[in-house]
Amino acid sequence: NRQLDHYAWDGHSGPIIDTLNFMRGSLVYDALYQLLREKYFDKEEYRKPADRLLKKMCEEDGMNALRAWCVYLGIRFFGGSFANPVNKKPVIETPKQCR
């Protein structure tokens, strides 16, 4: 087993305005989708709850309900491929001297 000391993500994806009320949710969402791609969680069972959690976190962080609903609809319609194991991304680690 490999221990991960840090987790990096690139913020949200898509044509979305980069705001603070989207950062926490996008971090959790990206991590959950990575777990779906890596088959730690079943995509059919856990994708929709992950999508709902993103919406909830955005609202908790001050995003208005209409924008949060649009985010949710966008990921429901267009996010499925990001949870698919065939789209697994390589793990890239920083050089040891940079840690």
Side-chain angles (χ1 to χ4, degrees), residues 4-96:
L4 296 176
D5 296 325
H6 304 280
Y7 185 81
W9 95 109
D10 59 357
H12 58 77
S13 302
I16 303 292
I17 298 169
D18 195 7
T19 57
L20 288 177
N21 58 19
F22 204 9
M23 291 297 102
R24 182 176 68 111
S26 74
L27 169 62
V28 172
Y29 176 79
D30 282 2
L32 288 172
Y33 262 51
Q34 181 178 358
L35 291 170
L36 294 171
R37 276 192 310 274
E38 300 280 338
K39 297 184 180 180
Y40 287 101
F41 296 131
D42 178 66
K43 183 180 81 155
E44 300 306 316
E45 185 176 354
Y46 291 104
R47 180 178 166 236
K48 192 170 187 178
D51 295 348
R52 285 194 304 254
L53 180 61
L54 172 61
K55 179 181 176 289
K56 179 178 185 260
M57 291 178 81
C58 288
E59 289 174 333
E60 288 174 354
D61 290 347
M63 186 179 285
N64 79 41
L66 178 61
R67 182 173 179 218
W69 180 249
C70 290
V71 166
Y72 175 77
L73 289 179
I75 59 177
R76 289 304 306 152
F77 287 117
F78 304 108
S81 65
F82 298 104
N84 193 327
V86 301
N87 293 320
K88 184 176 172 180
K89 299 175 183 178
V91 174
I92 301 170
E93 297 185 21
T94 59
K96 289 185 182 185

